[in-house]
Amino acid sequence: ANVSKADLTKELAKRYKSETDSIMLFGFRTAFGGGKSSGFALIYDDLESLKRFERKYRQARLGLFDHKRMNRKRIKETKNRCKKARGLKKAVVLAASKK
């Protein structure tokens, strides 16, 4: 198995005198045959700048962002209900589906 991202985060924090919260690791690949991995790390000044500039899906991996998603079937049903409605009733249909 590879080295865990938690261990790598601690090592980078120690090496670059940073906080572990403000480091983002992603895109790791193991070289063929093992023994070596490569990936990317972004080190931010503080947690606030990470939340400001980092992509939402990566923030969600750290537990800093919570996605509010509707499932696929519900999206399609809402779309087809909107086709039947006209004018202001479309807004009512959309508001009902977001609940």
Side-chain angles (χ1 to χ4, degrees):
N2 294 327
V3 180
S4 71
K5 287 186 182 177
D7 293 345
L8 289 172
T9 305
K10 287 177 191 169
E11 179 63 33
L12 286 172
K14 190 169 68 175
R15 190 177 292 181
Y16 293 104
K17 297 178 183 76
S18 172
E19 300 171 15
T20 56
D21 298 344
S22 59
I23 296 175
M24 185 75 221
L25 300 173
F26 61 95
F28 280 86
R29 294 274 182 179
T30 306
F32 181 74
K36 182 174 150 186
S37 295
S38 61
F40 300 98
L42 298 173
I43 302 174
Y44 292 93
D45 294 332
D46 53 4
L47 189 61
E48 276 304 311
S49 57
L50 183 142
K51 286 183 179 179
R52 182 173 174 205
F53 295 109
E54 191 59 58
R55 294 176 178 265
K56 301 293 183 216
Y57 72 91
R58 287 196 207 132
Q59 286 185 36
R61 288 179 189 170
L62 291 178
L64 301 174
F65 182 77
D66 186 35
H67 285 289
K68 293 182 176 78
R69 295 183 178 143
M70 291 193 328
N71 62 8
R72 187 180 168 95
K73 185 171 182 176
R74 189 168 177 185
I75 291 169
K76 288 179 180 262
E77 286 174 352
T78 304
K79 176 192 66 142
N80 292 329
R81 258 190 248 114
C82 276
K83 285 182 188 175
K84 296 173 191 167
R86 286 187 56 175
L88 294 174
K89 290 185 180 176
K90 279 192 183 194
V92 173
V93 170
L94 284 171
S97 71
K98 301 241 176 180
K99 289 182 181 177

